Amino acid sequence: MVRLSAQKNMKQKKISLKYLVGFLLITIMNTPSQYANQASNYQDVLARLHAARSHSIISSPLYLILQQPEKQITLSLPVQLGDQVTVFKAYRVTHFTMNGLFPAKGGIRWDMSVNLDEVKALSLLMLLKCVLWNLPFSGGKGGIVCNPKELTDQAKELLMRAYTRALASNIGSDLDIPAPDIGTGEKEMLWMMDEYRSISGRLDYAVVTGKPIDRGGSYGRKAATGRGTAIFTLLGLDKLGIDRSSAAFAIQGFGNVAIHTAEYLDQQGCKITHLSDRSGTYYNPNGIPIPEAIQYKSKHKTLKGFQGAQQVKQDIIVASVDVLILAAGENAINTKNVHRVAARLIVEGANNPITVKAQSVLTDRKIMVLADILVNGGGVYVSFLEWLQNKQRRQWSLEEVNEKLDEQIYLLFNDVYELAQQKNITIRLAAYIIVLDKLQKRYEGNK
Ligand code: NAD
């Protein structure tokens, strides 16, 4: 009996140890590694809402509603990879759909740093962005804790299909419409659309955006965020009276947003002296040959080894440039590096790349920051055009799409810039005030 109970005890200890290890693993996987000591991204967005509140017509009930997501789903997705089952942590969060009147819209991020706080922040930012850009959508965002670089295409497909099955009753072209974000692209959207088709029994192209052009995608979608980021950058430069042809540009990140930003700026004759990706910072005082850098990145999946620039130890954030474009991830400028930022214009192609505390230092230093919800909304704007084209069974040309996008950019920039000038406030605060006013009108009009 004693031996039996000792064996049982040992077994229980082994089980609890196993659970403890499992728990620790999940906890570690859920900790945003590089930024573990940073403030919460969600709290940062709420702090920005708070700063805008007293300048806007927003009512107390609506302000209260905005404090929490409407829906937050946490999933554990078991996926059979070879002879092993791997369980992936995944999320989908939506904000303020007004009982489904405004379908949620937002990307799906695949990265090891994905966590619920980040997804909540990104979902709320999507709401603010959609409202600023006058789109009939609300906020949505999803993510899976994984390293896509370590997954085969087959594994990625299994994972995306598992995610789609788990979320199937929560997504739809009039309910919640996903799109690509860090680590995902056209292929992943196609798998999602296809899995959704098997479940629902009908092909609905509008269930996701960011699809390949020959499968319901829109011309101009892939480049839209970068194109918008570049045009906003040039508008900002004009306002600061900086000559674009003699300015030096640095771009952090060299993925979808950064590549298309760099390409557009390069075509406009701008000199990009610094680029970076996860492998490091790359510098060429005479200007990096952008077409070659893009070609190299597409072939090697990294800038490491690229001959058109020299790899340097310096953090790109503190590079001696006139313009710094952030197109990688969150919290890139924080209290640790903000005092060493040299640029006169900072452009947020990425979401939430500057912490609230760092922003206040930049404001004191009179460095102009073009805020994410303005700058990178070109992506969701063209996603909206893709959704419209799918709903109407038509396809516009690249010229038509770009014309619509560019028109929106100029209109929005003027609105936000004028308010910022009038009130002597930051571009971000002006954008947030406009959003809160528009949200109040949406709320009043549809209560
Ligand atoms: P992506 O995965 O295509 O590219 C991300 C790039 O950032 C990669 O080149 C990666 O190497 C680099 N990177 C990561 N960490 C870095 C670091 N610490 N230093 C330097 N480089 C680093 O992602 P993306 O779609 O280009 O998205 C970038 C940002 O833009 C994200 O914040 C995303 O939410 C935002 N955004 C994307 C879109 C879109 O349409 N893709 C739309 C709006 C906003």
Side-chain angles (χ1 to χ4, degrees), residues 353-368:
I354 304 179
T355 64
V356 167
K357 284 185 183 161
Q359 169 72 66
S360 78
V361 177
L362 295 172
T363 309
D364 289 346
R365 291 183 59 199
K366 306 214 177 324
I367 296 173
M368 186 195 260

Side-chain angles (χ1 to χ4, degrees), residues 220-267:
R221 169 60 188 92
K222 213 169 166 182
T225 313
R227 180 184 179 88
T229 301
I231 297 176
F232 280 115
T233 304
L234 297 176
L235 289 170
L237 275 178
D238 287 348
K239 294 292 181 195
L240 289 174
I242 300 174
D243 174 20
R244 68 174 74 167
S245 58
S246 56
F249 293 70
I251 306 180
Q252 186 200 29
F254 207 51
N256 178 281
V257 177
I259 284 174
H260 292 102
T261 305
E263 192 169 42
Y264 190 96
L265 290 174
D266 185 57
Q267 284 162 1

